[in-house]
């Protein structure tokens, strides 16, 4: 009891700091989550809209979205962009005859990180012959990393998603669902 009486100011200050920090952390976390969800939805919509537009015009594209692994070695093979994610920029990068349209676009932390990147091609022999180099590169990368790759076929205009060793054609709604999962919205 004597220690409590002697150190009452310090004890009161200690509990005050804990209480103030806890409340501020809660408010900050809630605000951060709301802001993150809004940004995540905008980023997912930007990618989805660009893919739908490129699909309609049969513009080939390979978009890689990083997760935990950074993929710096692959990003360094292309041109560093470091730009905000937008539909028009993605479409412009993959527009035919532009300098960055060949290769992959890598998106890291919700930003366009690098374009015209060279990816490893899958060595699997069981892949269908209809898969071109973009599809094989998407599978090659996702076999080795935790990234997700989106492929827009130049020949058919179909949109495919590669995760792990799997790749499959998706609808617009399925693509949006995948993107929302990746961005955590």
């Amino acid at each position: 009891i004597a220690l409590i009486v002697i150190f009452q100011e310090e004890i009161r200050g200690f509990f005050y700091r804990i209480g103030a920090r806890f409340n501020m952390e809660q408010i900050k976390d809630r605000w951060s989550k709301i802001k993150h969800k809004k940004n995540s939805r905008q980023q997912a919509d930007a990618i989805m809209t660009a893919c739908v537009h490129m699909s309609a015009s049969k513009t080939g594209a390979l978009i890689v979205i990083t997760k935990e692994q950074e993929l710096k070695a692959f990003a360094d093979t292309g041109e560093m962009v470091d730009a905000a994610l937008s539909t028009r920029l993605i479409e412009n990068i993959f527009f035919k005859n532009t300098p960055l349209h060949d290769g992959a676009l890598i998106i890291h932390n919700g930003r366009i990180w690098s374009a015209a990147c060279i990816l490893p091609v899958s060595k699997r022999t069981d892949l269908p012959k209809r898969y071109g180099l973009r599809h094989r590169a998407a599978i090659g990368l996702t076999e080795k990393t935790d990234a997700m790759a989106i492929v827009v076929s130049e020949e058919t205009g179909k949109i495919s998603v590669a995760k792990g060793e799997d790749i499959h054609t998706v609808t617009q709604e399925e693509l949006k669902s995948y993107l929302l999962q990746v961005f955590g919205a």
Side-chain angles (χ1 to χ4, degrees):
I1 294 175
L3 289 174
I4 294 172
V5 171
I6 293 171
F7 295 109
Q8 74 179 3
E9 283 298 317
E10 288 80 6
I11 293 170
R12 183 181 298 134
F14 173 76
F15 283 117
Y16 176 77
R17 283 190 300 260
I18 288 176
R21 192 179 124 223
F22 178 76
N23 291 335
M24 287 308 293
E25 289 294 321
Q26 272 187 330
I27 293 167
K28 192 168 88 176
D29 284 347
R30 285 187 185 156
W31 175 254
S32 176
K33 285 178 185 176
I34 291 168
K35 189 175 178 184
H36 177 72
K37 270 189 176 181
K38 183 180 177 188
N39 286 345
S40 297
R41 284 201 173 97
Q42 289 173 342
Q43 292 165 350
D45 285 341
I47 296 169
M48 187 199 62
T49 304
C51 288
V52 169
H53 290 170
M54 291 185 295
S55 173
S57 65
K58 291 190 177 177
T59 302
L62 175 53
I63 300 171
V64 175
I65 303 168
T66 65
K67 291 183 186 173
E68 297 297 318
Q69 294 175 319
E70 193 177 75
L71 308 182
K72 183 166 176 30
F74 301 111
D76 287 343
T77 64
E79 292 292 325
M80 297 311 251
V81 177
D82 191 28
L85 196 54
S86 75
T87 300
R88 287 186 177 185
L89 183 54
I90 294 170
E91 290 176 18
N92 195 25
I93 287 171
F94 287 109
F95 189 76
K96 211 159 197 62
N97 299 325
T98 58
L100 301 178
H101 84 279
D102 279 334
L105 174 71
I106 298 179
I107 297 171
H108 179 65
N109 287 336
R111 291 181 62 80
I112 296 175
W113 187 20
S114 188
C117 300
I118 299 168
L119 303 181
V121 178
S122 178
K123 297 186 186 324
R124 288 177 40 193
T125 57
D126 63 329
L127 295 173
K129 298 284 185 201
R130 70 178 185 273
Y131 287 160
L133 203 53
R134 278 190 187 94
H135 292 83
R136 292 176 187 276
I139 296 168
L141 180 74
T142 59
E143 284 173 338
K144 296 176 180 167
T145 68
D146 66 345
M148 181 180 93
I150 303 167
V151 180
V152 179
S153 173
E154 192 171 353
E155 293 177 13
T156 64
K158 291 182 179 177
I159 302 170
S160 302
V161 171
K163 286 174 69 177
E165 295 182 1
D166 298 325
I167 186 168
H168 58 279
T169 305
V170 294
T171 64
Q172 184 176 340
E173 292 78 27
E174 290 170 328
L175 177 60
K176 186 166 187 171
S177 175
Y178 277 115
L179 290 168
L180 290 174
Q181 284 176 356
V182 168
F183 286 112

